[in-house]
């Protein structure tokens, strides 16, 4: 009897284990684990994770790994599913199997890597820097206006690029034209050296506009004028490689803060009463956290305080931050004072009259 009970328990455990394994297989790949993000990750965190992992897992960077292509494809499938709101919702409900049943699986033609790095990715830069004579199309430089909040916290900006793409066409054309020296005989013992243009025959091509969405990462601490490059997203060249597309970061004016390097500057207007007796207040920062300010002494007009670590993040070392400088403007009351009020103020302040005349522009 005891043996039958033990056998039943074993069979029950085995069946449960088998069901768990079967459920895991049917559920498909764990996209959150592939991207190394939590299930609560927002879209920007997913984009940042993909962009970082794509650099490390690209097959061109891991030629000795036979599974490199498979890992890279898994990464692309994970990003495609989790970066799309509808696909992510369906995946969270019942896994990859649901996506495939609903026809929401991998689209095949979708290339997230190109949307982050351009058609040739970051691996296409090496040959260009080595002085190869392959002709190139023109580079395109565009200003990308971003907010100070985006430069503080980071963000991804989607840019729609209408790009002329080379497509095959009927017929042939002259290509790879070059100057060559040829020798022409003018008679016995007489020759003439001359230069002439020599071309090859190539298949004909045409230019066709294609719309493409590029993901521009605004990294915390980026400086005004810094450039973000997309390889081979510039103007095409029929006999060579396309140029590059460069986005130049431009900072939109901010109504509260002014940036200088990694430091931030702002002004606060306080009343004359607060200037004399002290005050306590908060400044809402670029990511909505509060900066606490307490003054228990007299604050004169133009006084400036420093709040270390409350400036912009450093681009190279995001854990280091600049300083927030707060300058105080004192607003005087606009009404007239009675003689009684004037005498009371004189009694309280006990300050003698001062009439110092000097060249304020030179600081004398």
């Amino acid at each position: 009897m005891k043996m039958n009970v033990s056998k039943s328990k074993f069979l029950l455990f085995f069946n449960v284990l088998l069901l768990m394994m079967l459920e895991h297989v049917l559920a498909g790949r764990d996209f959150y684990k592939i991207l190394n993000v939590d299930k609560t990750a927002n879209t920007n965190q997913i984009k940042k994770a993909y962009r970082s992992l794509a650099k490390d897992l690209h097959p061109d960077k891991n030629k000795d790994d036979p599974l490199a292509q498979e890992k890279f494809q898994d990464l692309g499938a994970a990003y495609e599913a989790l970066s799309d709101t509808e696909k992510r919702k369906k995946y969270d409900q019942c896994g990859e199997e649901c996506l495939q049943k609903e026809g929401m699986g991998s689209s095949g033609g979708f290339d997230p890597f190109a949307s982050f790095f351009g058609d040739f990715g970051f691996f296409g830069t090496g040959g260009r820097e080595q002085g190869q004579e392959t002709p190139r199309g023109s580079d395109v430089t565009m200003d990308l206006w971003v907010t100070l909040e985006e430069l503080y916290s980071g963000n991804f900006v989607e840019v729609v690029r209408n790009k002329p793409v080379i497509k095959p066409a009927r017929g042939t054309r002259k290509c790879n034209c070059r100057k060559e020296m040829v020798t022409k005989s003018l008679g016995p013992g007489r020759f003439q050296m001359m230069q002439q243009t020599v071309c090859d025959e190539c298949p004909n091509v045409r230019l066709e506009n294609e719309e493409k969405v590029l993901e521009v990462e605004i990294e915390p601490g980026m400086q005004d004028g810094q450039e973000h490059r997309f390889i081979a997203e510039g103007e095409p060249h029929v006999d060579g490689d396309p140029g590059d597309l460069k986005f130049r970061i431009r900072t939109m004016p901010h109504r509260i803060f002014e940036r200088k390097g990694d430091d931030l500057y702002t002004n606060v207007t306080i009343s004359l009463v607060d200037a004399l007796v002290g005050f306590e207040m908060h400044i809402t920062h670029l990511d909505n956290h509060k900066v606490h300010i307490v003054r228990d002494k007299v604050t004169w007009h133009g006084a400036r305080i420093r709040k270390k670590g409350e400036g912009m993040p450093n681009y190279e070392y995001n854990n280091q931050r600049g300083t927030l400088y707060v300058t105080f403007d004192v607003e005087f009351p606009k009404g007239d004072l009675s003689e009684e009020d004037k005498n009371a103020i004189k009694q309280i302040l006990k300050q003698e009259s001062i009439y110092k005349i000097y060249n304020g522009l030179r600081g004398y």
Side-chain angles (χ1 to χ4, degrees):
M1 184 69 179
K2 288 184 178 179
M3 288 184 62
N4 289 336
V5 171
S6 300
K7 186 176 180 181
S8 298
K9 286 183 177 179
F10 174 76
L11 289 173
L12 179 62
F13 174 77
F14 179 77
N15 288 332
V16 170
L17 184 63
L18 187 63
L19 284 171
M20 289 175 64
M21 292 174 63
L22 184 62
E23 183 181 359
H24 177 74
V25 171
L26 291 174
R29 295 167 287 188
D30 186 340
F31 288 156
Y32 289 101
K33 186 176 181 181
I34 291 172
L35 282 168
N36 195 25
V37 295
D38 295 331
K39 290 190 176 182
T40 57
N42 59 36
T43 304
N44 276 357
Q45 290 171 326
I46 289 170
K47 289 179 178 181
K48 195 173 187 68
Y50 172 80
R51 191 174 189 274
S52 176
L53 289 170
K55 293 179 182 180
D56 297 330
L57 297 180
H58 196 282
D60 288 351
K61 204 173 181 180
N62 300 275
K63 295 181 179 179
D64 296 332
D65 184 359
L67 299 177
Q69 187 66 37
E70 182 181 343
K71 292 176 183 177
F72 192 69
Q73 289 175 350
D74 288 345
L75 185 67
Y79 174 75
E80 184 178 355
L82 300 186
S83 63
D84 184 284
T85 306
E86 291 301 317
K87 289 184 179 181
R88 183 177 181 179
K89 185 177 179 181
K90 183 62 68 174
Y91 176 80
D92 288 342
Q93 287 176 350
C94 47
E96 188 180 5
E97 184 186 17
C98 281
L99 292 179
Q100 294 170 348
K101 282 183 178 178
E102 297 288 334
M104 300 169 70
S106 177
S107 59
F110 178 70
D111 183 9
F113 188 82
S115 70
F116 283 98
F117 300 102
D119 279 340
F120 292 166
F122 48 86
F123 304 102
T125 59
R128 293 180 178 179
E129 293 174 353
Q130 295 168 5
Q132 293 183 1
E133 295 183 2
T134 303
R136 291 183 61 230
S138 300
D139 290 342
V140 177
T141 302
M142 298 178 62
D143 287 339
L144 181 62
W145 290 90
V146 297
T147 65
L148 201 55
E149 285 84 355
E150 289 174 317
L151 292 171
Y152 183 84
S153 301
N155 194 21
F156 282 87
V157 178
E158 287 189 357
V159 178
V160 178
R161 162 79 164 138
N162 282 306
K163 174 186 173 184
V165 178
I166 296 175
K167 300 287 186 180
R170 296 182 190 177
T172 59
R173 61 183 177 87
K174 291 183 178 180
C175 63
N176 303 325
C177 296
R178 57 205 176 273
K179 299 289 185 180
E180 290 186 358
M181 298 299 295
V182 295
T183 303
K184 184 178 180 181
S185 175
L186 301 177
R190 297 176 61 197
F191 299 93
Q192 180 182 15
M193 297 288 291
M194 57 186 298
Q195 191 180 63
Q196 69 178 26
T197 301
V198 178
C199 299
D200 297 332
E201 285 287 326
C202 292
N204 203 7
V205 295
R206 59 186 173 84
L207 293 177
E208 184 177 299
N209 268 342
E210 284 188 359
E211 191 175 275
K212 185 174 184 179
V213 177
L214 300 176
E215 296 276 359
V216 184
E217 183 178 11
I218 310 301
E219 299 178 79
M222 288 185 82
Q223 297 281 349
D224 199 66
Q226 198 168 335
E227 291 184 347
H228 189 110
R229 181 188 295 262
F230 284 84
I231 305 300
E233 292 294 340
E235 294 299 315
H237 193 295
V238 292
D239 293 325
D241 296 331
D244 297 338
L245 173 61
K246 293 180 284 186
F247 289 102
R248 185 188 295 120
I249 300 299
R250 287 285 181 254
T251 308
M252 286 189 263
H254 200 276
R255 68 182 188 88
I256 294 177
F257 298 105
E258 184 69 23
R259 179 186 187 183
K260 292 183 180 179
D262 290 340
D263 297 329
L264 289 172
Y265 294 78
T266 190
N267 281 58
V268 175
T269 300
I270 59 176
S271 69
L272 179 59
V273 173
D274 286 339
L276 294 174
V277 303
F279 60 92
E280 183 176 356
M281 63 168 293
H282 292 88
I283 296 176
T284 303
H285 213 296
L286 294 166
D287 63 346
N288 290 324
H289 83 266
K290 306 296 182 182
V291 180
H292 189 216
I293 294 176
V294 178
R295 294 284 294 175
D296 55 5
K297 59 181 73 174
V298 173
T299 304
W300 63 92
H301 182 80
R304 175 181 286 178
I305 64 170
R306 296 183 299 172
K307 303 291 286 185
K308 290 185 177 180
E310 291 291 356
M312 294 292 292
N314 181 273
Y315 177 67
E316 298 292 337
Y317 307 98
N318 284 169
N319 59 330
Q320 298 179 12
R321 296 180 184 272
T323 301
L324 171 62
Y325 292 89
V326 183
T327 303
F328 296 101
D329 308 317
V330 179
E331 185 174 282
F332 282 70
K334 295 180 173 60
D336 294 329
L337 297 175
S338 66
E339 287 300 321
E340 185 180 348
D341 291 337
K342 292 177 183 178
N343 291 327
I345 290 173
K346 288 178 181 179
Q347 282 293 112
I348 294 171
L349 296 181
K350 293 181 173 59
Q351 186 178 20
E352 297 293 330
S353 298
I354 302 172
Y355 304 107
K356 181 181 178 182
I357 303 172
Y358 65 100
N359 186 341
L361 294 178
R362 290 186 176 271
Y364 297 150

